[in-house]
Amino acid sequence: MSDVGLSAELVAVVLAVDDGHPWVLAAGEPPALPAGPLRVEEESLQAGVREFAREHSGFDLGYVEQLYTFADLGRSSDDRRMVSISYLGLTRAQIAGSVRPTDWSALYDLLPWEDRRHLDASGADRLGEEIERALRRWSIGSEERLDRCRFLFAYDERPWRPDLALQRYELLWEARLVAESPSAGSISALTAGPMLHDHRRILATGLSRIRAKLQYRPVIFELMPETFTLLALQETVEAIAGQHVHKQNFRRAVEVQHELVEPTGEVSHETGGRPAKLYRFRGSVREERAQVGTKLPLPR
């Protein structure tokens, strides 16, 4: 049996929200997350990720955490076993003003089924309907498959779980409904083209992680400018969660229940209507962000 070469790399899922639109640092054809060899001169992997992201985007990362190490055979285009250590990073990027704006991709162009903000009162959703029909066909004769589909895609009055983005991608891959699947079906044209290697799986891992973090840590401010309106804060949360939140419940949670923000005494005239108060995150949130959660009212 021949020896298989081993290579190690860093892969970064760098997310930003600009004017209510979520973006991920991913460029090329097919789109690829920034990745590169480990650098032995860096003091830590996290320092390496920060420097790596700065080189690729021109922005400094705020929040950084390790996601997962991907090491399955067959991940690269040759015979090497590629070990990818993935990290999630958040940055306050204005995409239009970035050094290389074309290096960014719209997040939900790559994971389109994860954006439910467009659903109207009737719940009309062409992509969702196509996926449901395909998954129900795939589940014929298997109650276990059907139960997974119901749970992950909120069928038959089940609640939608934003934090299960990775599990939904893996289910679609198994059902051959995404382009990366072996012998993918025709519906894969609706679920977007493939990313390089398994980078879409890595992206889904990062999205699951940040959505889960919104429930118990105030990481959202890493995506916000120094001052902001409550509407801009809500739109940023919705952009990452992929669904709308109840406006009054959201504001009550932010202003009263958890004392996340404080008014600056200034207003913004950019809303198009009456001036909106500007806020900033409280100093205690910045100091205690690893211990204190936002507990923002995401729909369940």
Side-chain angles (χ1 to χ4, degrees), residues 61-174:
L61 297 183
Y63 182 81
V64 174
E65 74 164 280
Q66 186 172 344
L67 288 173
Y68 189 73
T69 298
F70 296 83
D72 296 340
L73 282 173
R75 296 186 59 250
S76 63
S77 56
D78 53 33
D79 292 332
R80 296 173 302 155
R81 179 187 286 271
M82 177 62 72
V83 177
S84 298
I85 304 171
S86 61
Y87 275 80
L88 170 68
L90 307 180
T91 185
R92 299 184 182 101
Q94 291 185 313
I95 307 305
S98 64
V99 176
R100 294 180 295 273
T102 56
D103 286 354
W104 296 83
S105 296
L107 174 61
Y108 296 125
D109 282 354
L110 302 174
L111 299 171
W113 57 88
E114 289 297 329
D115 188 6
R116 297 168 65 84
R117 293 172 299 168
H118 62 283
L119 299 183
D120 58 25
S122 66
D125 176 14
R126 177 175 174 247
L127 174 60
E129 291 169 357
E130 292 280 353
I131 289 176
E132 180 173 1
R133 282 194 288 269
L135 286 176
R136 288 188 182 277
R137 287 195 300 269
W138 176 71
S139 300
I140 292 174
S142 173
E143 192 65 27
E144 184 271 337
R145 283 183 176 183
L146 183 58
D147 284 344
R148 288 171 61 202
C149 296
R150 287 168 173 160
F151 178 71
L152 293 176
F153 281 89
Y155 299 151
D156 302 333
E157 300 185 357
R158 304 297 203 279
W160 177 263
R161 292 279 304 274
D163 55 313
L164 298 181
L166 172 61
Q167 291 87 339
R168 279 187 288 273
Y169 171 77
E170 291 180 333
L171 179 67
L172 293 176
W173 184 91
E174 184 180 343

Side-chain angles (χ1 to χ4, degrees), residues 19 44 58-59 63 109 123 134 153 160 173 188 191 211 215 224 228 261-262 269 287 294:
D19 195 25
S44 67
F59 293 99
Y63 182 81
D109 282 354
F153 281 89
W160 177 263
W173 184 91
S188 64
T191 55
R211 285 178 170 180
Q215 307 286 332
M224 302 298 299
F228 47 85
V261 301
E262 59 189 5
H269 297 276
E287 296 166 3
T294 57

